[in-house]
């Protein structure tokens, strides 16, 4: 699968399934990458392919985004304008719940928070991890390992495999601009948000790429493995 060959979502899912079947207990797949890379889209795609192939619900998505601090918390800390940066998430809570998901028997429900992009707030228990033997967690900072953010370094050892979804900068910029404008910002405000916040976070995430087990890029209707 490695090289310039295009790998379909179904093939990627089959790879995950083989790995998961080869180990006892729950399998945790991480998908890291910069803002707007397509992580959530890929995670949902893998989940759906796994469930389709199995004919039952064996996979679930557990987003890192669910651990955004609430806007009230961010305002109280005076960091609302920096929302999205590593210290605007409850990293310790994320690590603790990943550990719980690992250690809890299949069939015992574990509520997991999601993030609502309409109201821009986390949703407690937005998804419930229950019978799923494969859990796909996705977000920006899964592979963060620098001294400035020691709390994030505890994530990687809890994952069985971590992928990095790579996307050229210009494409990320375009997607984020469009998203901010769709979300109600003026084109000027959108540009400022991308330049001052998103791209700074992207640089931080890009520095973690080498720690991934697999680096993927979108290619045609599938993905290329670097
Ligand atoms: N493979 C793809 N091809 C084209 N567009 C895509 C692809 N994947 C995602 N997109 C688009 O790019 C945008 C970002 O996708 P997505 O929300 O999956 O990214 P993300 O990495 O989860 O972003 P964030 O870090 O902000 O949560 C969306 O508008 C989505 O429709
Ligand atoms: Mg996302």
């Amino acid at each position: 699968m490695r090289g310039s060959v295009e790998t379909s979502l179904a093939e990627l899912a089959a790879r995950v399934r083989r790995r998961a079947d080869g180990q006892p207990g729950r399998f945790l797949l991480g998908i890291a990458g910069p803002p707007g890379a397509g992580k959530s889209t890929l995670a949902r795609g893998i989940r759906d392919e796994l469930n389709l192939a199995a004919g039952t619900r064996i996979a679930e998505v557990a987003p890192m985004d669910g651990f955004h601090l609430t806007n009230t918390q961010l305002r109280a800390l005076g960091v609302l304008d920096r929302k999205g940066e590593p210290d605007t998430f409850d990293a310790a809570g994320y690590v603790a719940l990943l550990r719980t998901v690992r250690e809890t028997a299949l069939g015992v429900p574990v509520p997991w928070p999601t993030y609502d992009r309409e109201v821009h707030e986390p949703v407690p228990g937005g998804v419930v991890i229950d019978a799923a033997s494969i859990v796909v967690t996705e977000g920006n900072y899964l592979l963060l390992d620098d001294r400035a953010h020691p709390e994030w370094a505890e994530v990687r050892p809890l994952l069985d495999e971590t992928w990095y979804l790579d996307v050229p900068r210009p494409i990320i910029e375009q997607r984020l601009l469009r998203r901010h404008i769709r979300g109600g910002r003026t084109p000027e405000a959108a540009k400022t948000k991308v330049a001052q916040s998103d791209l700074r976070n992207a640089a931080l995430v890009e520095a973690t790429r080498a720690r991934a087990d697999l680096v993927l890029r979108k290619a045609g209707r599938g993905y290329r493995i670097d």
Side-chain angles (χ1 to χ4, degrees):
M1 283 203 298
R2 203 170 281 267
S4 56
V5 190
E6 196 183 306
T7 306
S8 71
L9 204 53
E11 287 171 304
L12 285 169
R15 175 199 161 100
V16 175
R17 181 68 198 265
R18 281 195 301 276
R19 303 254 164 163
D21 285 350
Q23 74 162 45
R26 211 165 237 151
F27 185 87
L28 268 70
L29 170 70
I31 299 177
K39 302 178 297 296
S40 301
T41 306
L42 174 58
R44 282 194 296 268
I46 293 285
R47 176 199 62 195
D48 293 347
E49 287 289 344
L50 282 166
N51 290 339
L52 190 71
T56 175
R57 217 162 167 84
I58 61 162
E60 198 47 87
V61 173
M64 185 204 97
D65 266 0
F67 288 88
H68 261 112
L69 296 177
T70 64
N71 292 327
T72 304
Q73 287 172 315
L74 294 171
R75 213 171 282 118
L77 292 167
V79 296
L80 186 60
D81 57 331
R82 296 202 291 104
K83 186 169 179 171
E85 293 189 19
D87 65 340
T88 64
F89 290 86
D90 174 16
Y94 179 51
V95 166
L97 203 57
L98 279 176
R99 197 167 282 133
T100 300
V101 163
R102 277 206 86 90
E103 292 170 356
T104 303
L106 302 188
V108 178
V110 179
W112 186 284
T114 55
Y115 184 75
D116 187 330
R117 283 205 184 264
E118 303 277 314
V119 296
H120 306 284
E121 291 279 15
V123 180
V127 64
V128 177
I129 316 292
D130 193 339
S133 57
I134 300 174
V135 172
V136 186
T137 187
E138 53 91 11
N140 292 345
Y141 303 125
L142 274 51
L143 293 169
L144 215 57
D145 187 28
D146 58 70
R147 282 192 191 172
H149 313 97
E151 64 283 11
W152 287 101
E154 290 181 49
V155 174
R156 179 66 188 87
L158 293 169
L159 307 177
D160 294 291
E161 180 163 327
T162 308
W163 299 351
Y164 183 96
L165 183 55
D166 210 1
V167 179
R169 270 288 182 93
I171 294 186
I172 293 182
E173 274 189 60
Q174 232 177 47
R175 282 185 190 166
L176 293 171
L177 274 176
R178 224 178 287 145
R179 182 198 280 171
H180 291 318
I181 292 169
R182 233 187 2 246
R185 282 189 168 88
T186 64
E188 266 322 298
K191 256 188 225 164
T192 305
K193 172 75 179 156
V194 169
Q196 292 184 355
S197 172
D198 295 329
L199 293 186
R200 265 214 339 243
N201 298 337
L204 207 56
V205 175
E206 279 159 8
T208 71
R209 184 180 182 274
R211 301 188 69 222
D213 298 299
L214 214 61
V215 177
L216 300 177
R217 284 168 191 268
K218 182 79 191 145
R221 298 181 66 181
Y223 293 84
R224 213 179 57 225
I225 300 177
D226 276 6

